[in-house]
Amino acid sequence: MSAQPTNTDVAPSPRESRQTPSADGLRPGLKNRHLSMIAIGGVIGAGLFVGSASGIAAAGPGILLSYALVGTMVVFVMRMLGEMAAARPTSGSFSAYADRALGRWAGFSIGWLYWFFWVVVLAVEATAGAKILQGWVPAVPQWGWALIVMVVLTATNLASVGSYGEFEFWFAGIKVVAIAGFILIGALAVFGALPGSGHEAAGLANLTGHGGFLPNGPGAILTGILMVVFSFMGSEIVTLAAGESENPRRAVTKATNSVIWRIGVFYLGSILVVVSLLAWDDPAIKEKGSYVAALDAIGIPHAGQIMNVIVLTAVLSCLNSGLYTASRMAFSLGERGDAPAAFARTNSRGVPQAAIVGSVVFGFVAVFFNYQWPDTVFLFLLNSSGAVALFVWLVICFTQLKMRAILLRESPDKLVVRMWLFPYLTWATIAMISFVLVYMLTDDAAREQVILSVLVAALVVATSVVRDRLRTDTRQALTKP
């Protein structure tokens, strides 16, 4: 039973008030339809289209359990984040909440790690998009396409937050329509109800044939988890974008409540269609990719090119959102004095220009590293940011444990979204994420990612602690008589 405060509209602390968007800061430019599509499209990354084949090869139909377990974990994390974001929407999202609940070191560290993750993603996605575009127009070199894509999306983000929202609305819309169409057509083919398809109606026989549902044993589920967990990164973007929407609380509440069906339909639904249409050990899945192999199996012409268009859309969406997310996190860090003050300034259109330019410059540098030293410098950047997604989710869990008490004390009326079975499910989620991190250390492919990511995280935390100590010493020196 919580104590009822005498005033539910307690003024936020000075540090917190500086995080609230104001007339001379970030401006609400995202419409409800933008936020809705950002929320839906945020869980559909290029990794779903290009990375699922390796997961199916490792776990067979049991990959569905891997997706279900990771999806459940993400649903819980989003519920916790939604609780905090609906109560106090801000561009810094979980970084700002960690700052308040766990201490300045936590907000600083997770904010910069998240920024680092997304600027490295910019390079990965720009290169992936450039490969597809060069296949269509080989006269332009791959680096040229990467440059063009980065420049166009940088210009979009610099124009206004509404421009970002409009681009993302259409990018995400194409992904959603493509996945929905794939599930519908595939489901009809599975049961032999697709007109003109020469595919034999297999029903659900492929789920248990060819060695059973778990042909490689129960342990393959854990291997599958490592392969699919990072394809879910991006679902939290809507809580950063909410601060620039017309109705932040409504947008966050709606996105949080719909995350279950989004993951259920787009991930579990589409993968279920693939492993039902084809035997999990069909060579075509690994050779062509799971979705192309499925489309080819039911006689869809030009399946490879269709999927290239969809993957390119997913890549551009990820680039667009990555640049937006990195710049808003940099803006929030600047607002809190944890990044250069220029990052916290906005132009006449309410756009944090310096934060965008600073983020994209690092992205350009990472693209250069990818072409110049792909197996050394860029591989280090990639591995050292590889486990950041899990760190972010872990910090969200610990932050929510503390923020619940703060919100109950200061503004209980704003707790419109609540984590289920608090605090038991929060602790269970912490245990799940911790288990995945420990299990990664036993996997040869993932071990280096965890070790390098932990080292980088330790360096960032140490930097924060030293900065705070120096600031404290400086203040004490200035206040001495």
Side-chain angles (χ1 to χ4, degrees), residues 16-22 26 35 81-94 96-97 238-253 332 403 407 411 414 416:
E16 191 175 350
S17 64
R18 292 202 301 270
Q19 298 160 18
T20 306
S22 58
L26 298 177
L35 263 292
L81 183 55
E83 175 179 300
M84 298 181 286
R88 294 186 178 173
T90 173
S91 62
S93 188
F94 51 83
Y97 308 140
V238 68
T239 63
L240 281 84
E244 293 175 85
S245 69
E246 297 168 343
N247 191 334
R249 186 165 289 112
R250 178 180 178 274
V252 170
T253 303
S332 178
M403 276 298 289
L407 291 172
S411 47
K414 294 180 180 178
V416 292

Side-chain angles (χ1 to χ4, degrees), residues 146 242 254 311 357 400 469:
K254 187 177 178 182
V311 171
V357 172
Q400 191 259 342
R469 179 62 60 87

Side-chain angles (χ1 to χ4, degrees), residues 49-50 52-53 274 278 283-294:
F49 298 108
V50 299
S52 55
V274 171
L278 299 168
I285 293 179
K286 210 163 187 180
E287 291 169 7
K288 302 176 182 179
S290 51
Y291 290 84
V292 174

Side-chain angles (χ1 to χ4, degrees), residues 402-416:
K402 295 279 189 179
M403 276 298 289
R404 170 66 74 90
I406 294 172
L407 291 172
L408 284 174
R409 184 174 67 249
E410 296 182 357
S411 47
D413 58 308
K414 294 180 180 178
L415 269 171
V416 292

Side-chain angles (χ1 to χ4, degrees), residues 379 383-384 440 443-453:
L379 186 61
N383 284 333
S384 60
M440 286 177 73
D443 183 81
D444 293 337
R447 187 181 301 114
E448 188 176 2
Q449 283 189 19
V450 177
I451 293 172
L452 287 177
S453 296

Side-chain angles (χ1 to χ4, degrees), residues 330-470:
F331 171 83
S332 178
L333 288 165
E335 283 271 283
R336 288 176 273 148
D338 291 333
F343 283 3
R345 299 193 193 109
T346 57
N347 59 21
S348 58
R349 298 183 300 279
V351 173
Q353 194 166 290
I356 292 173
V357 172
S359 300
V360 83
V361 163
F362 193 96
F364 276 124
V365 171
V367 169
F368 172 74
F369 286 156
N370 195 12
Y371 286 108
Q372 191 67 29
W373 302 290
D375 299 322
T376 52
V377 179
F378 186 73
L379 186 61
F380 169 79
L381 291 178
L382 205 58
N383 284 333
S384 60
S385 64
V388 165
L390 293 169
F391 296 165
V392 168
W393 295 343
L394 207 52
V395 167
I396 289 171
C397 294
F398 281 111
T399 300
Q400 191 259 342
L401 284 172
K402 295 279 189 179
M403 276 298 289
R404 170 66 74 90
I406 294 172
L407 291 172
L408 284 174
R409 184 174 67 249
E410 296 182 357
S411 47
D413 58 308
K414 294 180 180 178
L415 269 171
V416 292
V417 176
R418 288 177 182 253
M419 177 58 182
W420 307 295
L421 297 176
F422 177 83
Y424 308 109
L425 271 185
T426 300
W427 281 110
T429 308
I430 290 171
M432 290 168 67
I433 298 170
S434 301
F435 175 80
V436 172
L437 280 167
V438 172
Y439 188 74
M440 286 177 73
L441 292 172
T442 68
D443 183 81
D444 293 337
R447 187 181 301 114
E448 188 176 2
Q449 283 189 19
V450 177
I451 293 172
L452 287 177
S453 296
V454 168
L455 289 175
V456 169
L459 179 63
V460 174
V461 171
T463 301
S464 174
V465 171
V466 170
R467 284 177 78 253
D468 282 350
R469 179 62 60 87
L470 290 174

Side-chain angles (χ1 to χ4, degrees), residues 214-258:
L214 294 172
N216 297 324
I221 297 172
L222 297 176
T223 304
I225 285 175
L226 300 188
M227 292 181 170
V228 307
V229 65
F230 299 108
S231 65
F232 284 84
M233 192 65 170
S235 53
E236 71 288 333
I237 290 174
V238 68
T239 63
L240 281 84
E244 293 175 85
S245 69
E246 297 168 343
N247 191 334
R249 186 165 289 112
R250 178 180 178 274
V252 170
T253 303
K254 187 177 178 182
T256 302
N257 290 335
S258 65

